[in-house]
């Protein structure tokens, strides 16, 4: 069961990777084309969604580990 809990955490991390790429691409666009609203919004979206994905994976892992104890 601990293996499943760890796997769920890493699934959350894997789901966060596209959002990290979105954040990075938005920052690169802001550096080259200026601080336009669309790039700022997509940077915040990428940052929020990446944090949310990791948090959900962590929460699921904690729920399963508490159930084991």
């Amino acid at each position: 069961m601990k293996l499943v809990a760890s796997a769920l955490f890493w699934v959350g991390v894997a789901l966060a990777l596209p959002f990290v790429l979105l954040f990075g691409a938005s920052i690169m666009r802001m550096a080259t084309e200026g601080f336009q609203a669309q790039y700022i919004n997509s940077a915040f979206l990428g940052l929020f969604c990446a944090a949310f994905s990791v948090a959900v994976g962590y929460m699921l892992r904690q729920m399963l580990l508490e159930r084991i104890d």
Side-chain angles (χ1 to χ4, degrees), residues 9-19 53-54:
F9 173 71
W10 287 110
V11 166
V13 171
L15 288 174
L17 290 178
F19 298 114
S53 296
V54 171

Side-chain angles (χ1 to χ4, degrees), residues 37-65:
Q38 61 198 18
Y39 302 135
I40 295 171
N41 288 339
S42 63
F44 280 124
L45 178 71
L47 188 64
F48 174 76
C49 290
F52 182 77
S53 296
V54 171
V56 167
Y58 180 78
M59 181 189 67
L60 290 173
R61 183 183 76 164
Q62 289 302 111
M63 288 173 59
L64 282 178
L65 288 178

